[in-house]
Amino acid sequence: MEFCDECGSMMKTDGDKWVCPNGHEKLRDEAKEAAMTTTEGQESGEVVDVSDVDDSEIGPTVEQKCPECDEVRTVRYEMKQIRSADESETRFFTCTVCGHKWREDDH
């Protein structure tokens, strides 16, 4: 990945040069690009079957009000970064009683 020296935008390749969305250009450097890590050729991960795993063995839990049960229950949670890196993670919850799933974002 290359960033523009002028405006900081992420650049894309265009033949023998890097070009940013604002039109700035710079020549590509083969030696520098050889050291870059790419996702090209990487395989996607396997799907993990957890259907035979006890709920208590899957991830951390917390006491929280389930919107479906309308009562405080033990729920499993997971946090994922699904928005830009400068924003907080999204929390995903699953009620261990009814299986209802929901998410929470900081605003």
Side-chain angles (χ1 to χ4, degrees):
M1 187 177 307
E2 189 71 27
F3 293 94
C4 180
D5 295 330
E6 301 295 321
C7 65
S9 297
M10 188 168 66
M11 302 182 89
K12 295 185 178 187
T13 57
D14 183 12
D16 63 346
K17 59 189 169 190
W18 289 97
V19 181
C20 84
N22 296 315
H24 302 114
E25 299 179 355
K26 64 181 171 182
L27 291 176
R28 293 175 66 179
D29 180 347
E30 261 186 64
K32 186 176 178 183
E33 288 180 38
M36 291 180 182
T37 302
T38 68
T39 57
E40 190 174 306
Q42 292 181 357
E43 295 180 25
S44 60
E46 289 183 35
V47 174
V48 178
D49 181 11
V50 293
S51 58
D52 293 332
V53 178
D54 184 1
D55 280 349
S56 65
E57 298 175 13
I58 302 174
T61 59
V62 66
E63 297 295 316
Q64 179 136 348
K65 186 174 183 177
C66 170
E68 188 72 20
C69 298
D70 201 31
E71 291 185 34
V72 174
R73 304 283 192 185
T74 300
V75 298
R76 286 193 320 272
Y77 71 92
E78 183 178 3
M79 297 176 74
K80 291 187 179 182
Q81 187 72 41
I82 60 172
R83 297 175 289 163
S84 61
D86 64 341
E87 296 189 41
S88 62
E89 294 177 309
T90 300
R91 293 171 303 280
F92 294 89
F93 297 96
T94 304
C95 179
T96 58
V97 176
C98 72
H100 180 69
K101 298 175 187 256
W102 70 100
R103 65 188 252 181
E104 288 182 359
D105 296 308
D106 288 336
H107 299 286

